[in-house]
Amino acid sequence: MSSSTPSDERPPTAVGEPRDQSPAGAPVCFRHPERETYLRCHRCERSICTDCMVPAAVGHQCPECVRGGAKTVRQARTVAGGRVHSRQGVMTIAIIAVCVVMYGLQQLIGEAFTTRLELLGIAGSSSATPSAVNIGVANGEWYRLLTSMFIHESPAHIALNMLSLWWIGVPVEARLGRLRYLLTYLVCGIGASAVSFAFMGRYDASLGASGAIFGLLGVLAVMAYREKLDMRPILIVIAVNMAYSFSVTGIDWHAHLGGLGCGLLMGVAFGYAPRADRATAWYRDPQNLVPIGAGLAVLVVTVVLVGVHSSTLQNSALAASLASLIH
């Protein structure tokens, strides 16, 4: 009566368990015990079949070793800690698409749609929405700080803004990563809206993505300085745009200046946050925590500005109402 020694690649056959049909003592794949093989993983030296082997720099590896090795390799990151993607500008294209769709809705629905979303100080009603009562940021419609950055006044307005967003947004997105880029765009846009609102009169209004775009321009300026790139083109762009904002009537230079300031702050937070010595969770990474702190600081200042100026506008509206009753 002959017996065979079980392979060291699999546990011994239990009583009553069907025996493998491979020749006695032949190694089998540890993932497919029914397959005889003489291939081994170069890393763990377990037997693997041709379906399981993964080409490596030296020899072949099993799928488990490949997954385990991937966990120990740090993903490529930019100077600002953003993930490196092969496809660039995905989030920028998404923002442009949202703005274009919103502009299409403005043309289809009419002025009432724009009036409901633009950055408006305070108003009892509007000619476009005569049934509206107590509209405006000062009357509690804080959502306008966000929605106003996605609507535009004319074809030339949206065309110029979207072209600027493409030129400036893509390199910023490549450095920050998609999600952090989107959050930075929103934070800069809201901060720009808050500064614009802080200088508004009761019936003033503003709209457009230029405040958020100026924020991205501020981020790009800091990142270029951090990477020791030629600063002259960026500084010229900032100077020309600010000069245009101050010299042309009808342009909300408060939003541009506010967005630029928010962008510079966020750029410093991203560019000069300390890097973690080793791979760590996102909520422990200083390159995430410092920008989050900067973004929260912008939002806190936004709340203060909007709250204070809302009270001012409400008091002025009340005084105007009392004056009209007296006269």
Side-chain angles (χ1 to χ4, degrees):
M1 183 176 181
S2 63
S3 61
S4 61
T5 303
S7 169
D8 59 353
E9 306 299 330
R10 56 182 303 198
T13 304
V15 177
E17 180 183 353
R19 292 184 175 275
D20 184 42
Q21 299 301 318
S22 59
V28 294
C29 175
F30 79 98
R31 300 178 77 239
H32 302 95
E34 73 282 358
R35 300 181 185 179
E36 178 184 348
T37 181
Y38 289 90
L39 299 173
R40 288 181 178 270
C41 173
H42 184 77
R43 188 171 182 180
C44 66
E45 296 192 355
R46 289 181 292 186
S47 297
I48 53 176
C49 63
T50 55
D51 291 338
C52 295
M53 67 179 187
V54 179
V58 179
H60 300 85
Q61 292 184 8
C62 64
E64 280 75 2
C65 287
V66 172
R67 285 194 293 268
K71 292 180 180 179
T72 61
V73 177
R74 296 186 64 177
Q75 187 176 11
R77 299 277 180 172
T78 64
V79 174
R83 292 185 177 182
V84 177
H85 296 282
S86 57
R87 294 182 60 188
Q88 301 295 328
V90 172
M91 192 59 68
T92 301
I93 294 174
I95 296 174
I96 292 174
V98 171
C99 291
V100 171
V101 170
M102 293 293 285
Y103 186 72
L105 292 175
Q106 288 179 255
Q107 305 310 305
L108 290 175
I109 299 176
E111 187 181 355
F113 183 79
T114 303
T115 303
R116 279 297 188 182
L117 299 180
E118 67 184 351
L119 187 66
L120 179 65
I122 186 172
S125 63
S126 168
S127 59
T129 55
S131 61
V133 178
N134 296 328
I135 63 175
V137 176
N139 281 322
E141 295 180 335
W142 287 37
Y143 68 86
R144 295 174 181 269
L145 298 170
L146 177 65
T147 58
S148 60
M149 73 177 75
F150 293 102
I151 58 176
H152 293 82
E153 187 175 6
S154 65
H157 188 203
I158 187 173
L160 182 60
N161 274 350
M162 295 304 99
L163 187 61
S164 301
L165 177 58
W166 175 255
W167 284 340
I168 300 171
V170 172
V172 175
E173 180 181 348
R175 288 165 170 79
L176 302 188
R178 293 171 183 171
L179 179 59
R180 301 196 304 168
Y181 167 78
L182 175 61
L183 296 178
T184 300
Y185 180 87
L186 296 178
V187 166
C188 291
I190 292 174
S193 296
V195 174
S196 175
F197 174 72
F199 291 91
M200 276 187 173
R202 281 185 293 167
Y203 304 111
D204 291 342
S206 178
L207 71 169
S210 54
I213 296 171
F214 266 86
L216 298 181
L217 186 58
V219 174
L220 184 60
V222 176
M223 296 308 301
Y225 179 81
R226 173 72 173 80
E227 298 171 16
K228 295 180 172 56
L229 303 178
D230 186 1
M231 292 291 296
R232 287 174 295 181
I234 298 177
L235 294 177
I236 291 174
V237 170
I238 294 176
V240 169
N241 279 275
M242 290 309 301
Y244 182 77
S245 301
F246 287 118
S247 60
V248 178
T249 58
I251 294 182
D252 188 0
W253 61 267
H254 300 100
H256 294 180
L257 195 60
L260 181 62
C262 293
L264 292 173
L265 175 63
M266 296 301 297
V268 171
F270 279 115
Y272 291 93
R275 302 191 67 174
D277 296 333
R278 59 183 182 275
T280 184
W282 70 268
Y283 54 85
R284 294 180 179 177
D285 190 345
Q287 289 190 304
N288 290 329
L289 294 179
V290 174
I292 288 175
L296 291 176
V298 171
L299 296 180
V300 169
V301 173
T302 293
V303 171
V304 173
L305 288 177
V306 175
V308 171
H309 194 59
S310 294
S311 178
T312 302
L313 291 180
Q314 288 171 349
N315 292 335
S316 66
L318 179 60
S321 299
L322 291 176
S324 64
L325 290 175
I326 293 174
H327 295 289

